[in-house]
Amino acid sequence: MNQIVEDILTKLDITLLSITEFPIGLESRVQKVIDFIENQPKKVSMIGIWGMGGSGKTTTAKAIYNRIHRKFVDTSFVDNVREVCEKENRGVIHLQEQLLSDIMKAKQKIHSIAVGEYMIEKRLKGKRALIVLDDVTTVEQLKALCGNPKFFGPGSVSIVSTRDSRLLNLLNADYVCTTKEMDENQSLELFSWHAFRQPNPRKDFTDLSVNVVSYCGGLPLALEVLGSYLYRRTKQEWKSVLSKLERIPNNQVQEKLRISYDCLKDDTEKDILLDICCFFIGKDRAYVTEILNGCGLYADIGITVLIEMSLVKVEKNNKLRMHDLLRDMGREIVRESSSKEPAKRSRLWFHEDVHDVLTTNTGTESVEGLVLKLQRSTKFCFNTNSFKGMKKLRLLELDHVDLNGDYGSLSNDLRWVHWQGFTFNYIPDDFNQENLIVIDLKYSNIEHVWNETKLLEKLKILNLSHSKYLKDTPDFSKLPNLESLIMKDCPSLFDVHPSIGDLKNILLINLKDCTNLRNLPRKIYQLKSLKTLILSGCSKIDKLEEDIVQMESLTTLIAKGTSVKQVPYSILRLKSIGYISLCGYEGLSRDVFPSIIWSWMSPMVNSLPRISPFGSMSLSVVSLDVKSDIMAYQSTIISSLSKLRSVWVQCHSEIQLTQELRKFSDDLYDVNFNELETSEDVPQISNLSLRSLLIGMGSFQLVIDTLSKSISQGLTTNDSSNLCLPGDNYPSWLAYKGEGTSVLFQVPEDSYGGMKGIILCVVYSSTSENMGLECLTSVLIINYTKCTIKIYKRDTVMSFNDEDWKGLTSNLNPGDNVEIFAAFGRGLIVKVTTAYLIYDHSVTTETEPSINMEMEPPQEDNLQPPPNAKMELSSNAKMESSRKPNKYIFTKLAKKMRQFLCLN
């Protein structure tokens, strides 16, 4: 019923704005905007509509206005703001009068812009209004017509359509509707309505229609204009139109698109646009920026402006793109400057025009850029005299073109030389290169870059990729400002000049697939500015020096496919490193560093690359600090692997600790814990003889003999089903027992005296002749209270010193909830792990209990340990309050940890 009423009101509404006859794809776009407005009925909605010329911004704005204007008392649709302001002296005042007349329902007269601003603000202040401003190009227009929309009443809507996204940023738009190109099906339907007055093309015109639609690139304006132009024309006329469009774009479409070009503020922005149209579509933005900056065009800001104006796009791979019709618009602007004489145009790109100018030697000073791309099979040879008249030539691109003669004839103003298939063995000495920013000679026949290297202070990029005869690099001392050195796939390259270490500004070195390169000069490691080093496929390079630590800016190291077998230890000291591909490890450094470290610390563990157990980290001498978003590798790591004794992981929340331990368990505990779950020998553990292993940390010699004797007696006098181990039966220790490879406890209060050491007693059975110490890989100490993990490798545990003990106890405070894991290689089945905390001899106890492995742990309140994760403490004595587990952490975290670590 509501829809019927709405349709009737729509038909009777004389205030509706005229929109396109065939609104293909419009409804969904409009509905999204309306949904946004309706979801915030008490706020002032600032809506932006942004897109390139001819993409349907005005149509969208009108459609939204038609749908919602009846809900407002004060409404105004101000059309063609840019055009009115440009064509009329009092254009802004005229538009202010129109807006006030719409709102006040009476004709208004204004004498100045300032008065108009005051009247608009006064009239709209606190009112619920709908204001639409179409085709706005400047901030001044917004200020004069809209004032400050924040003064509008709740529920007001302000809609601005523009080609310049920066205006919407300044307006702080709440929602931006981007008018994108139509897809292929929508494009064909819209074109067919205009060309055939039906939703599909006629069968005999299907192929031609597809070609026209492809040319239009989903731009609604072009589809409507060309569809209407081709309506009721013959096939031959259609073909003629398509042929003409290849050289000369449709004038009606061009006029609309050129508005964006004319709106550019200065000549440098226009020059940048025309250079991109003719030479740089598909090129890397940073590459193009470097070249155009060298031409004095301020490309950093210039390209940004073009993006904001919807004239240029930057794809995810940082390549510059633009709509084909915008490209044609730019090229048409160049062509129109001298439609009859190509030699007088500023840029030459069309094959026939370029060939004609070079053949007739008619090039003039007007020519600033020239591109001639030929197929390898159709190589042409020209004389350098053809360029003699082009004194202002800045940009030169040649593919498979030979030039003979005096290279001194080439312009001294050249900034970019892109010459694919360069046939000389070296760059001619008479070629003036002093102003070159980029030398790009891919697929050349060069053996040596220069016969004698000249000082080229402005050169930033040198690309000699796929030059199969190139034997060595140039003397880099003459290239002081080089930023990118690219020599991919140069199979004959065997020597890199030592002067490469003199490049103070180098950012990228790419030597990928230089298969004959055996080593790098030692001085290359002195490059403090280098960010990316690519050596993948250099199969004869077998070593990276520890000096790599000097590359303090290195963020990316790609060296897969080399003969390097060992990751340099010093690489962990690189503060900026972000991505690594080396020795089978590949990924973000925060992901691969832990696997590298673990392979160093645990040689018994399979050292193949694993998923990161730690996440992001920062590294100090013996610690890794886990952080949520960034990594900052602090301080230094011991330069020798043999001195790396432990790793410390600091998490910042219980959740993060849970996540890190789960990932760590995936990496570490497949070596022995999975065997606990799957081994066929597990049910028969009682049939295997039990053995014990004592692992001591700190001062433990005074009690080790007594404890060892008691344990040995327990193993020989008890079967595996009823094993008794020493408990708190001596004044020198407190005992805690856990089932399997770990033990949970709470650090006692200081009243027990200072803790002198820890002895781990691991009772196990073995399916082989391997003894426990031989299979031990590491010991982990997890502090759930502090959210830390301390990892000691076997060599450290076997040679535990005073410094190691100080590091361990510094992270253990009274009341901390702690779990200790002993990690073993395959072949062992761990029955029980007991931790004996060694204290001062003055500590006394009244009872001497033992620990019975079959006794269930005491249940306190709601503390429910996970299945098969029993923790039995001083079974015959009442636990002191200081040793009661913290229920929040022990119940929540410890349960998760033990389940994650395959102990359930």
Side-chain angles (χ1 to χ4, degrees):
M1 184 65 180
N2 291 336
Q3 186 61 46
I4 295 175
V5 173
E6 180 72 18
D7 292 341
I8 294 173
L9 290 174
T10 299
K11 292 178 181 179
L12 296 175
D13 192 349
I14 61 173
T15 63
L16 285 178
L17 302 174
S18 174
I19 61 173
T20 179
E21 184 180 0
F22 308 108
I24 309 302
L26 182 63
E27 178 60 29
S28 61
R29 184 191 306 163
V30 170
Q31 190 59 49
K32 288 180 181 179
V33 177
I34 293 175
D35 288 344
F36 177 84
I37 294 171
E38 291 178 345
N39 284 335
Q40 46 179 18
K42 295 184 179 181
K43 290 182 62 179
V44 177
S45 298
M46 305 295 298
I47 307 298
I49 302 175
W50 175 70
M52 65 179 287
S55 60
K57 298 184 297 298
T58 299
T59 301
T60 302
K62 287 181 177 180
I64 296 170
Y65 179 88
N66 286 345
R67 286 277 301 274
I68 67 175
H69 78 283
R70 284 191 297 274
K71 300 176 182 179
F72 300 84
V73 175
D74 298 319
T75 66
S76 179
F77 189 101
V78 183
D79 201 2
N80 296 322
V81 172
R82 175 199 56 80
E83 185 177 351
V84 173
C85 290
E86 288 178 355
K87 292 184 176 180
E88 299 184 21
N89 293 332
R90 300 178 75 254
V92 174
I93 294 176
H94 173 79
L95 294 174
Q96 288 178 325
E97 291 173 343
Q98 176 189 332
L99 191 151
L100 284 169
S101 298
D102 291 342
I103 293 172
M104 301 176 73
K105 308 299 188 289
K107 192 170 184 180
Q108 301 295 313
K109 198 69 176 176
I110 298 173
H111 300 289
S112 71
I113 294 175
V115 171
E117 291 178 5
Y118 172 77
M119 292 179 65
I120 291 171
E121 183 174 311
K122 182 179 179 181
R123 181 67 181 85
L124 293 177
K125 189 172 183 179
K127 297 293 183 65
R128 185 172 179 274
L130 170 61
I131 305 297
V132 181
L133 305 179
D134 176 53
D135 197 15
V136 177
T137 56
T138 68
V139 176
E140 291 73 23
Q141 293 166 0
L142 278 177
K143 182 181 177 184
L145 296 171
C146 205
N148 188 348
K150 292 182 180 179
F151 291 125
F152 290 8
S156 293
V157 177
S158 176
I159 300 175
V160 175
S161 74
T162 181
R163 301 171 187 231
D164 188 352
S165 65
R166 181 167 172 77
L167 288 179
L168 302 180
N169 293 333
L170 295 174
L171 189 63
N172 291 320
D174 302 309
Y175 182 92
V176 176
C177 171
T178 302
T179 53
K180 300 178 180 179
E181 296 90 335
M182 305 176 76
D183 63 34
E184 186 176 345
N185 293 331
Q186 290 178 334
S187 298
L188 188 59
E189 182 180 356
L190 179 60
F191 174 78
S192 298
W193 278 114
H194 288 276
F196 306 105
R197 300 300 187 265
Q198 61 186 40
N200 300 300
R202 285 168 41 188
K203 288 186 178 180
D204 51 337
F205 280 83
T206 298
D207 291 340
L208 289 171
S209 296
V210 170
N211 290 338
V212 177
V213 167
S214 176
Y215 169 80
C216 293
L219 190 68
L221 172 70
L223 293 164
E224 293 174 7
V225 169
L226 292 178
S228 299
Y229 183 72
L230 292 169
Y231 179 54
R232 290 186 174 177
R233 295 192 184 275
T234 65
K235 271 190 177 183
Q236 189 58 41
E237 288 172 331
W238 276 56
K239 292 177 181 178
S240 177
V241 168
L242 281 170
S243 297
K244 181 181 179 181
L245 289 174
E246 292 179 2
R247 291 293 305 271
I248 305 173
N250 178 271
N251 185 61
Q252 191 175 349
V253 176
Q254 289 299 299
E255 285 181 359
K256 189 73 172 179
L257 296 178
R258 181 159 179 163
I259 292 170
S260 298
Y261 173 83
D262 293 333
C263 286
L264 295 175
K265 299 296 189 295
D266 57 55
D267 290 340
T268 61
E269 293 170 358
K270 293 179 178 179
D271 281 336
I272 291 171
L273 177 64
L274 297 183
D275 281 344
I276 294 174
C277 287
C278 298
F279 306 117
F280 295 128
I281 293 175
K283 297 283 196 295
D284 181 80
R285 178 181 182 177
Y287 177 83
V288 175
T289 299
E290 200 78 74
I291 296 167
L292 298 183
N293 280 343
C295 296
L297 295 180
Y298 310 101
D300 294 277
I301 182 62
I303 293 177
T304 299
V305 170
L306 299 182
I307 294 169
E308 292 171 347
M309 294 292 292
S310 196
L311 289 167
V312 171
K313 298 177 183 178
V314 179
E315 297 183 342
K316 290 183 179 179
N317 57 3
N318 211 39
K319 304 295 185 184
L320 295 177
R321 298 290 181 188
M322 65 168 52
H323 195 284
D324 289 348
L325 295 180
L326 287 172
R327 176 204 62 197
D328 293 346
M329 177 270 295
R331 293 181 176 183
E332 179 62 12
I333 291 172
V334 175
R335 191 193 70 83
E336 286 178 345
S337 65
S338 179
S339 59
K340 301 296 183 182
E341 297 182 68
K344 293 183 179 181
R345 298 173 192 161
S346 62
R347 296 159 182 85
L348 298 173
W349 69 91
F350 192 69
H351 177 274
E352 293 180 6
D353 293 338
V354 176
H355 188 272
D356 179 66
V357 169
L358 294 181
T359 302
T360 58
N361 294 349
T362 54
T364 67
E365 290 190 2
S366 298
V367 180
E368 298 180 27
L370 180 149
V371 55
L372 179 59
K373 296 183 179 181
L374 302 175
Q375 298 297 323
R376 184 173 301 181
S377 58
T378 58
K379 184 174 288 189
F380 277 82
C381 183
F382 299 96
N383 194 281
T384 54
N385 287 332
S386 301
F387 293 87
K388 200 165 187 177
M390 305 180 197
K391 301 295 185 183
K392 296 182 180 179
L393 187 66
R394 299 179 290 118
L395 310 171
L396 177 63
E397 180 176 7
L398 301 173
D399 281 7
H400 305 296
V401 174
D402 286 345
L403 284 184
N404 293 325
D406 179 11
Y407 273 71
S409 299
L410 296 177
S411 170
N412 292 342
D413 283 347
L414 275 172
R415 299 304 198 270
W416 178 55
V417 171
H418 182 288
W419 197 335
Q420 188 165 307
F422 184 74
T423 56
F424 288 89
N425 293 334
Y426 58 87
I427 298 175
D429 295 334
D430 56 352
F431 183 10
N432 191 321
Q433 306 158 64
E434 63 182 18
N435 288 315
L436 279 173
I437 307 297
V438 175
I439 296 177
D440 194 334
L441 303 181
K442 294 192 289 288
Y443 297 97
S444 72
N445 289 336
I446 282 181
E447 296 181 11
H448 310 282
V449 184
W450 291 283
N451 192 27
E452 181 179 349
T453 306
K454 298 179 181 180
L455 180 61
L456 301 179
E457 292 186 299
K458 295 183 179 180
L459 189 66
K460 298 289 187 70
I461 300 172
L462 177 61
N463 190 342
L464 301 170
S465 297
H466 313 292
S467 298
K468 60 182 179 179
Y469 304 113
L470 180 66
K471 297 178 180 178
D472 50 25
T473 67
D475 181 352
F476 294 105
S477 63
K478 301 295 182 68
L479 313 176
N481 294 304
L482 191 68
E483 295 180 357
S484 295
L485 175 65
I486 308 169
M487 294 183 170
K488 293 190 298 183
D489 185 29
C490 296
S492 299
L493 181 68
F494 66 88
D495 182 53
V496 176
H497 200 280
S499 61
I500 195 170
D502 298 332
L503 297 175
K504 305 302 182 185
N505 300 303
I506 193 72
L507 302 174
L508 166 68
I509 295 177
N510 189 343
L511 300 173
K512 179 181 179 182
D513 293 330
C514 291
T515 53
N516 204 38
L517 186 63
R518 293 181 176 274
N519 51 61
L520 300 174
R522 197 76 178 232
K523 286 189 174 182
I524 197 172
Y525 299 106
Q526 299 175 6
L527 299 176
K528 297 184 181 301
S529 63
L530 186 67
K531 292 187 175 182
T532 302
L533 177 60
I534 302 176
L535 302 171
S536 53
C538 296
S539 54
K540 293 185 179 180
I541 292 181
D542 58 6
K543 186 178 182 182
L544 292 179
E545 302 291 345
E546 296 293 336
D547 294 349
I548 198 171
V549 70
Q550 299 177 56
M551 294 180 167
E552 57 188 38
S553 299
L554 191 66
T555 60
T556 303
L557 173 62
I558 302 177
K560 62 181 178 181
T562 65
S563 295
V564 177
K565 297 294 190 297
Q566 176 67 53
V567 179
Y569 305 136
S570 63
I571 201 170
L572 298 183
R573 294 166 56 189
L574 288 172
K575 296 181 179 180
S576 58
I577 193 71
Y579 183 88
I580 295 177
S581 177
L582 176 66
C583 296
Y585 298 95
E586 184 170 2
L588 297 176
S589 57
R590 65 170 181 247
D591 295 331
V592 301
F593 272 8
S595 296
I596 292 173
I597 293 172
W598 183 247
S599 71
W600 290 344
M601 293 184 64
S602 305
M604 293 181 64
V605 180
N606 188 347
S607 60
L608 290 176
R610 302 174 185 270
I611 298 174
S612 162
F614 301 136
S616 338
M617 73 194 83
S618 63
L619 184 63
S620 65
V621 175
V622 290
S623 67
L624 291 172
D625 181 17
V626 177
K627 298 188 177 180
S628 57
D629 297 312
I630 62 173
M631 57 185 178
Y633 299 97
Q634 305 165 341
S635 189
T636 58
I637 190 171
I638 304 300
S639 59
S640 171
L641 174 60
S642 63
K643 296 180 182 179
L644 183 62
R645 298 181 63 79
S646 64
V647 177
W648 174 44
V649 182
Q650 173 67 65
C651 300
H652 296 287
S653 68
E654 298 169 4
I655 294 175
Q656 188 184 26
L657 179 65
T658 301
Q659 294 170 342
E660 298 306 324
L661 278 172
R662 177 163 57 178
K663 290 188 288 184
F664 185 72
S665 70
D666 293 339
D667 181 64
L668 172 64
Y669 290 97
D670 64 324
V671 301
N672 63 342
F673 290 172
N674 288 344
E675 187 169 310
L676 289 175
E677 294 184 320
T678 60
S679 174
E680 297 178 357
D681 295 324
V682 171
Q684 305 171 13
I685 193 169
S686 59
N687 298 328
L688 299 175
S689 61
L690 295 178
R691 303 173 183 176
S692 67
L693 170 66
L694 295 181
I695 303 170
M697 294 175 283
S699 298
F700 53 84
Q701 293 301 327
L702 294 177
V703 297
I704 191 73
D705 293 337
T706 301
L707 189 58
S708 177
K709 182 178 179 180
S710 298
I711 294 172
S712 298
Q713 185 177 3
L715 291 177
T716 56
T717 60
N718 296 277
D719 61 38
S720 60
S721 62
N722 188 28
L723 174 65
C724 288
L725 295 177
D728 292 347
N729 51 354
Y730 283 91
S732 300
W733 67 66
L734 297 174
Y736 302 86
K737 194 198 74 170
E739 188 173 288
T741 58
S742 74
V743 55
L744 278 161
F745 62 89
Q746 189 174 77
V747 179
E749 298 293 341
D750 288 338
S751 58
Y752 284 89
M755 185 164 54
K756 306 301 182 183
I758 298 176
I759 297 178
L760 287 182
C761 175
V762 180
V763 178
Y764 66 93
S765 62
S766 177
T767 58
S768 66
E769 295 301 319
N770 291 334
M771 302 299 290
L773 190 59
E774 297 172 354
C775 296
L776 179 70
T777 61
S778 62
V779 171
L780 284 76
I781 301 178
I782 304 166
N783 189 323
Y784 294 108
T785 304
K786 290 187 171 65
C787 295
T788 63
I789 308 170
K790 192 84 171 184
I791 308 170
Y792 295 96
K793 63 178 181 177
R794 183 183 64 168
D795 292 345
T796 303
V797 174
M798 293 176 64
S799 60
F800 217 79
N801 57 37
D802 291 342
E803 289 298 318
D804 296 324
W805 178 249
K806 288 179 182 178
L808 188 156
T809 56
S810 66
N811 192 47
L812 297 180
N813 292 331
D816 286 356
N817 296 307
V818 176
E819 186 165 17
I820 300 180
F821 282 91
F824 294 90
R826 299 187 182 279
L828 291 187
I829 301 173
V830 177
K831 177 76 172 177
V832 64
T833 301
T834 305
Y836 296 92
L837 309 188
I838 312 302
Y839 281 87
D840 197 304
H841 289 211
S842 62
V843 178
T844 60
T845 57
E846 298 179 358
T847 58
E848 296 184 356
S850 61
I851 303 177
N852 192 310
M853 293 187 67
E854 294 304 308
M855 183 177 292
E856 291 294 328
Q859 302 296 318
E860 297 191 22
D861 301 329
N862 295 323
L863 179 60
Q864 299 292 334
N868 301 324
K870 304 173 185 177
M871 183 180 68
E872 303 168 25
L873 309 174
S874 302
S875 56
N876 296 330
K878 185 175 182 179
M879 285 178 49
E880 294 84 359
S881 61
S882 64
R883 290 169 61 186
K884 289 182 181 179
N886 179 297
K887 294 177 183 177
Y888 176 70
I889 296 179
F890 261 25
T891 305
K892 180 179 179 182
L893 277 178
K895 183 176 181 179
K896 291 181 180 178
M897 293 306 99
R898 295 171 68 82
Q899 288 174 336
F900 288 150
L901 297 177
C902 309
L903 295 177
N904 55 337

